[in-house]
Amino acid sequence: TNQEKMFLVFTEWVKLLQRVPDDDVKVTVFIRQMMDKGVIKSTENVIQFTKAAIELSVGSFKESDPASEVFIAADAFSKLIVKLLVVQVFTSLSRSEYLKLMLSVITIVFSEDQGMTGNSFNERPYFRLISSLLCQWEEASAHNFIKVQDQSYRNELIDFSPEFYNIIASFLHAFQPIAYPGFSFAWITLISHRMFLPKMLRLPGKAGWSKLVLLFTDLLKFMAQYTKKSDVPDAVSVVYKGALRVFLAVANDAPGFLVENHYELLNNLPPVYMQLRNVILSAIPKNMVLPNPYDAELRISDVEACQHVPNVYYDPVQDLKSLKKPVDNYLRIPSASLSRMVSTSLFKPGYEKDTGIGYDSVSVDTKLINAIVLHVGIEAALEKDKTTATAIFNTKSSYYTLLTSMLSDGNTEVRFHVVQAIANQLRFPNAHTHWFNYVLKNFFISEDWGQDTAEIQEIIVRTLLERVVTNKPHCWGIVVTFTELLRSSECSIMTLPFVKDIPEIEHIIKHL
Amino acid sequence: TMPAEMAAQLESSLLNCPDSLDADTPKLYQTPLSLPHPTSIFFPNET
Amino acid sequence: YGLKALLPLIRREDQSPDYDPSMTLGIDLTPVLQSLGISSNANGRQRVLDTFPSPWVETSRSEVEPRFFVPESFTKIPSVLQSSGSKNPVFNSVQQDHAKISLFQDETLFYLFYKHPGSVVQELTYLELRKRNWRYHKTLKVWLTKDPMMEPVVAPGGASERGSYVFFDPQRWEKCQRDFVLFYNAIM
């Protein structure tokens, strides 16, 4: 049958690659013959051939004895994919479509295998195929495809390379743990693969960042979904440990990625992962030296870096949806009706399970609250650059009063999530940290809350305290803000009833 | 709560978790000199 | 939403089953950072993702080959290893190339011996080093040769000798002189 012919051709390819180096002319002749004989001429045959190759690669893995080279066929297949992408001239199909076609066939076989065999599915051959594909592509693209003589052709491949990584990212998005739990650990290993993650972080023009945020979001959503308070399944806690190491490595190699994408990552991070939250929010731009946050002489307004507006890669205004107009109109011309419209739109249609510290469900739209708070901060920082600092560092400014109204109109839950959203902006020295530090300090000493004062103050203390009792790293902005409150003469935290009532808390505050 | 079927799949994924050897760069063609050869048991067998 | 919510986290003694502290308050990250090769001093910021073996320590049991480029200057070196003209020097096959092994310096032979265990090239380097009067010590697993400056003294009974020897230390990658009692049955 046609398929048996495909099996035969692929088997010959595997044998050939074991006998000659892959840059041997025989390899190119073999591919030339595959084309001339029509093995990969039509789309239909490409599908047939790919199906045969992936089935043989997986089959030979399952049948080989573990001690031997179980990945020979998978490695040969990944080499073939790279060769076909490099040596072919693409006319009817584009190079991207060709790669997507082959990966789609692999996805179908992968899905059937995963679905059919239940728990005896083995992720390793599929992992190896993609891992080797990344390694072989890296080798082919070394020195900007130096092995390709024709310059115009080289340029075509150089332009395609970012596309290659984004296509791989798209298929990894399809393979995410919530969709294919049997592939979870291979998946985490692939998104952090040495030939993938550094590349996606450093593609020119941040061309890989959107897909990378998507993949990290997939991971965080999976963890959020299955991190219940008490019995976190062992496998999920292993997932967490892996995620923590990956984020630490990203914070070390490419802190700018976390600095610019904190908003989206935190929208999907389970709030119980307080240390992981600190890791993400503590990322600071490379080469930035932090002033000592415990320095009693430190004045945040004197810190030069606080004049600079940090870049936010994904503009939260896109998440404001129908509230964009009311919020922006309010910032321009404040009115009670607009602020009420904002405050009443913060609730979700129903309760949603969410594992937090001290609560199990959420009835407010935390993502919307995060978006409003950060959007207001971004607009405030821009306003400061346009006009003067006093325009926004004053409790009468619309930026400040919008947040105030969200607290005074809101219930305890709203207040909690608004203060959390503000605390998420207290990071390294920048214009947002500076402004939100101002906001939180004034929230704390304000007399305008009436009988809600104690509640709002307790929420502020709790939000800051939970971030400093967590193991390091601690965010510079959090430490500076908390230190100022602890030293504040206007209001001594130690005397507040909600502190005195709980000895352990009182003891910690006194120690701090 | 994670369905039992899903928990089992996640469990089997953990058991089959690829390690750094799986992630290493493929070596298809071994030059004859680097082919396996019965060397003395006293020789180091790790690079 | 207040401070009481933090009590289950803070109270160490009756660690409530509610939260897994290693994920909420987290852990001391020092060992984790060390396992990643991230040094604490900020300026030593060495990139780690390019050689990231695996997300977990338990599955990172071997190094992985990072991306590397063969610099232009390493290719097309004329007349090295008897390569002609612009062709790259090759050292691949036992038939044609094994004689070239006598062209390598000692250090290159040591490198090939330690880098390619259990392979033909390890055997070839072993034979070549012996030709150069190096001897492999079976228990120390290092190569040694007599210090030409001094004749060793054979012990009565002839099973060993005491003298001054030059060892090649693969950890420090250098030759070093040592006084040593050499048992003849320990070398090969």
Side-chain angles (χ1 to χ4, degrees):
Chain A
T1 64
N2 197 34
Q3 199 194 34
E4 279 159 347
K5 283 184 207 158
M6 297 301 185
F7 278 135
L8 194 61
V9 171
F10 181 66
T11 308
E12 285 309 300
W13 169 259
V14 176
K15 285 182 196 158
L16 174 66
L17 281 192
Q18 288 174 273
R19 282 168 178 65
V20 296
D22 58 42
D23 52 4
D24 188 299
V25 68
K26 301 180 194 68
V27 170
T28 313
V29 167
F30 189 98
I31 291 180
R32 154 72 65 201
Q33 288 173 349
M34 280 176 75
M35 292 180 198
D36 296 347
K37 301 260 187 312
V39 172
I40 48 175
K41 198 147 193 73
S42 68
T43 310
E44 183 46 41
N45 272 3
V46 170
I47 292 171
Q48 286 280 349
F49 182 80
T50 305
K51 193 168 181 308
I54 182 66
E55 284 173 354
L56 265 183
S57 301
V58 175
S60 69
F61 166 81
K62 288 178 179 171
E63 277 132 37
S64 317
D65 85 313
S68 72
E69 291 295 323
V70 294
F71 294 126
I72 290 277
D75 292 348
F77 182 28
S78 61
K79 172 63 76 183
L80 180 58
I81 294 173
V82 170
K83 284 285 181 190
L84 289 174
L85 289 173
V86 172
V87 302
Q88 284 191 104
V89 176
F90 287 90
T91 47
S92 57
L93 272 183
S94 75
R95 191 173 271 109
S96 297
E97 287 158 343
Y98 195 85
L99 177 58
K100 285 176 191 167
L101 177 66
M102 296 181 98
L103 290 176
S104 303
V105 174
I106 291 165
T107 306
I108 291 168
V109 171
F110 167 82
S111 303
E112 281 163 4
D113 187 1
Q114 157 112 207
M116 188 169 62
T117 46
N119 299 345
S120 68
F121 167 79
N122 194 324
E123 60 197 342
R124 289 178 63 209
Y126 298 98
F127 168 82
R128 177 69 178 206
L129 178 70
I130 298 174
S131 170
S132 295
L133 186 56
L134 291 164
C135 294
Q136 319 260 22
W137 183 260
E138 178 52 48
E139 189 194 331
S141 58
H143 277 314
N144 280 331
F145 296 91
I146 192 164
K147 293 178 184 168
V148 174
Q149 261 65 32
D150 178 307
Q151 188 53 47
S152 70
Y153 210 55
R154 271 179 74 180
N155 294 339
E156 204 181 292
L157 285 164
I158 292 167
D159 295 345
F160 170 71
S161 205
E163 178 70 14
F164 170 87
Y165 289 104
N166 276 298
I167 291 171
I168 298 287
S170 301
F171 278 88
L172 288 176
H173 176 55
F175 290 174
Q176 62 178 285
I178 275 189
Y180 295 104
F183 192 67
S184 303
F185 288 86
W187 186 84
I188 297 171
T189 311
L190 282 170
I191 66 169
S192 59
H193 195 283
R194 68 190 184 286
M195 303 287 181
F196 177 74
L197 181 50
K199 273 291 189 187
M200 290 294 277
L201 285 167
R202 290 200 292 267
L203 283 180
K206 303 172 186 172
W209 278 20
S210 298
K211 286 276 193 315
L212 216 40
V213 171
L214 187 63
L215 291 171
F216 280 127
T217 302
D218 295 339
L219 173 60
L220 294 174
K221 276 183 182 158
F222 175 73
M223 290 158 59
Q225 177 80 7
Y226 295 110
T227 298
K228 289 186 304 307
K229 266 171 55 169
S230 45
D231 59 338
V232 178
D234 285 352
V236 173
S237 54
V238 176
V239 167
Y240 169 80
K241 288 190 182 78
L244 178 66
R245 287 182 90 241
V246 171
F247 275 107
L248 286 169
V250 172
N252 178 72
D253 282 25
F257 175 77
L258 297 182
V259 162
E260 296 194 37
N261 290 288
H262 76 298
Y263 165 72
E264 278 199 287
L265 292 171
L266 252 71
N267 267 340
N268 297 287
L269 179 75
V272 289
Y273 293 151
M274 298 201 299
Q275 183 170 44
L276 185 50
R277 178 176 61 188
N278 277 3
V279 167
I280 293 171
L281 294 176
S282 302
I284 60 176
K286 269 195 176 174
N287 312 323
M288 173 177 273
V289 178
L290 294 182
N292 174 7
Y294 299 98
D295 175 356
E297 309 308 313
L298 179 74
R299 291 280 165 282
I300 190 167
S301 42
D302 301 344
V303 178
E304 199 277 328
C306 284
Q307 309 312 318
H308 299 297
V309 179
N311 191 34
V312 179
Y313 185 68
Y314 172 89
D315 189 339
V317 77
Q318 302 170 68
D319 292 339
L320 292 184
K321 302 188 282 264
S322 60
L323 277 187
K324 176 173 171 3
K325 276 195 112 17
V327 167
D328 283 344
N329 291 345
Y330 181 93
L331 294 179
R332 245 194 316 281
I333 308 158
S335 79
S337 65
L338 282 173
S339 71
R340 210 178 355 272
M341 186 190 294
V342 171
S343 302
T344 51
S345 317
L346 302 178
F347 290 89
K348 273 188 183 334
Y351 269 75
E352 194 173 279
K353 180 190 77 63
D354 190 2
T355 321
I357 303 287
Y359 58 93
D360 290 335
S361 65
V362 168
S363 60
V364 297
D365 187 339
T366 50
K367 190 169 175 176
L368 180 59
I369 289 178
N370 287 334
I372 294 171
V373 167
L374 181 51
H375 176 65
V376 170
I378 290 172
E379 294 302 310
L382 293 177
E383 176 69 13
K384 177 175 147 250
D385 283 353
K386 269 189 285 194
T387 58
T388 64
T390 46
I392 60 161
F393 286 94
N394 91 51
T395 56
K396 297 285 172 287
S397 78
S398 62
Y399 305 95
Y400 182 86
T401 55
L402 178 58
L403 299 182
T404 312
S405 63
M406 285 166 76
L407 253 62
S408 48
D409 299 350
N411 63 13
T412 315
E413 183 182 12
V414 168
R415 291 168 182 158
F416 173 76
H417 289 291
V418 170
V419 170
Q420 287 283 344
I422 291 172
N424 291 346
Q425 307 312 324
L426 297 172
R427 300 189 291 156
F428 61 93
N430 65 53
H432 297 169
T433 300
H434 185 192
W435 188 66
F436 283 112
N437 162 273
Y438 169 82
V439 168
L440 213 52
K441 276 188 306 192
N442 282 279
F443 276 6
F444 192 77
I445 58 175
S446 161
E447 264 99 36
D448 306 344
W449 306 120
Q451 84 281 6
D452 295 331
T453 302
E455 176 182 293
I456 289 173
Q457 286 180 327
E458 179 174 358
I459 286 175
I460 292 173
V461 173
R462 175 243 156 106
T463 301
L464 294 171
L465 186 63
E466 75 180 22
R467 293 160 190 244
V468 296
V469 295
T470 300
N471 273 283
K472 286 186 176 1
H474 293 152
C475 298
W476 183 84
I478 292 286
V479 174
V480 167
T481 307
F482 202 21
T483 309
E484 285 175 338
L485 290 188
L486 287 169
R487 287 199 186 104
S488 133
S489 50
E490 279 116 302
C491 161
S492 152
I493 287 190
M494 288 309 294
T495 59
L496 294 173
F498 53 78
V499 170
K500 291 160 63 72
D501 291 351
I502 313 173
E504 291 95 333
I505 298 288
E506 186 182 28
H507 171 72
I508 290 179
I509 300 276
K510 192 181 296 177
H511 170 69
L512 283 171
Chain B
T1 304
M2 189 183 291
E5 163 76 7
M6 182 174 187
Q9 285 180 336
L10 190 61
E11 211 46 52
S12 84
S13 171
L14 177 53
L15 291 177
N16 291 322
C17 183
D19 65 12
S20 45
L21 291 171
D22 290 5
D24 206 359
T25 305
K27 296 267 182 306
L28 273 160
Y29 169 67
Q30 302 272 4
T31 63
L33 284 176
S34 52
L35 284 179
H37 181 84
T39 53
S40 156
I41 52 166
F42 297 108
F43 287 177
N45 53 16
E46 284 282 314
T47 56
Chain C
Y1 299 111
L3 286 161
K4 286 190 182 63
L6 300 184
L7 285 179
L9 297 175
I10 294 170
R11 280 193 183 132
R12 296 275 180 240
E13 58 283 359
D14 73 345
Q15 195 57 53
S16 70
D18 273 358
Y19 304 105
D20 172 347
S22 71
M23 292 202 255
T24 50
L25 296 180
I27 54 173
D28 170 13
L29 291 179
T30 314
V32 181
L33 292 167
Q34 269 159 4
S35 75
L36 285 164
I38 296 173
S39 60
S40 50
N41 57 332
N43 51 20
R45 191 189 288 277
Q46 179 81 17
R47 283 203 322 221
V48 298
L49 283 169
D50 295 315
T51 52
F52 196 59
S54 162
W56 298 274
V57 178
E58 298 78 2
T59 46
S60 306
R61 55 199 177 107
S62 62
E63 288 181 337
V64 283
E65 184 178 288
R67 183 170 64 248
F68 68 92
F69 305 111
V70 180
E72 282 298 295
S73 59
F74 276 45
T75 58
K76 299 188 177 45
I77 306 172
S79 72
V80 157
L81 286 184
Q82 299 160 346
S83 64
S84 60
S86 68
K87 274 180 66 59
N88 273 345
V90 285
F91 179 66
N92 277 340
S93 81
V94 184
Q95 287 76 9
Q96 284 95 350
D97 299 335
H98 89 278
K100 294 177 183 172
I101 200 151
S102 58
L103 303 174
F104 288 139
Q105 298 169 0
D106 292 353
E107 279 73 6
T108 308
L109 294 174
F110 291 130
Y111 169 78
L112 292 171
F113 178 83
Y114 285 107
K115 181 70 179 120
H116 300 287
S119 69
V120 172
V121 74
Q122 186 178 49
E123 189 67 24
L124 285 174
T125 52
Y126 162 70
L127 297 170
E128 179 60 23
L129 282 164
R130 279 181 55 81
K131 269 188 213 154
R132 302 182 190 184
N133 286 329
W134 286 89
R135 289 294 178 271
Y136 181 72
H137 197 287
K138 291 187 273 192
T139 45
L140 298 178
K141 296 193 180 300
V142 290
W143 286 90
L144 62 98
T145 185
K146 276 179 187 160
D147 179 340
M149 314 306 285
M150 221 182 91
E151 261 313 297
V153 174
V154 179
S160 67
E161 64 183 35
R162 164 187 288 284
S164 159
Y165 299 87
V166 175
F167 288 79
F168 182 77
D169 179 342
Q171 304 305 330
R172 302 223 309 275
W173 206 253
E174 62 187 15
K175 294 175 181 175
C176 43
Q177 185 273 340
R178 290 273 184 291
D179 293 339
F180 183 67
V181 175
L182 174 68
F183 285 86
Y184 297 130
N185 62 358
I187 54 173
M188 58 185 280

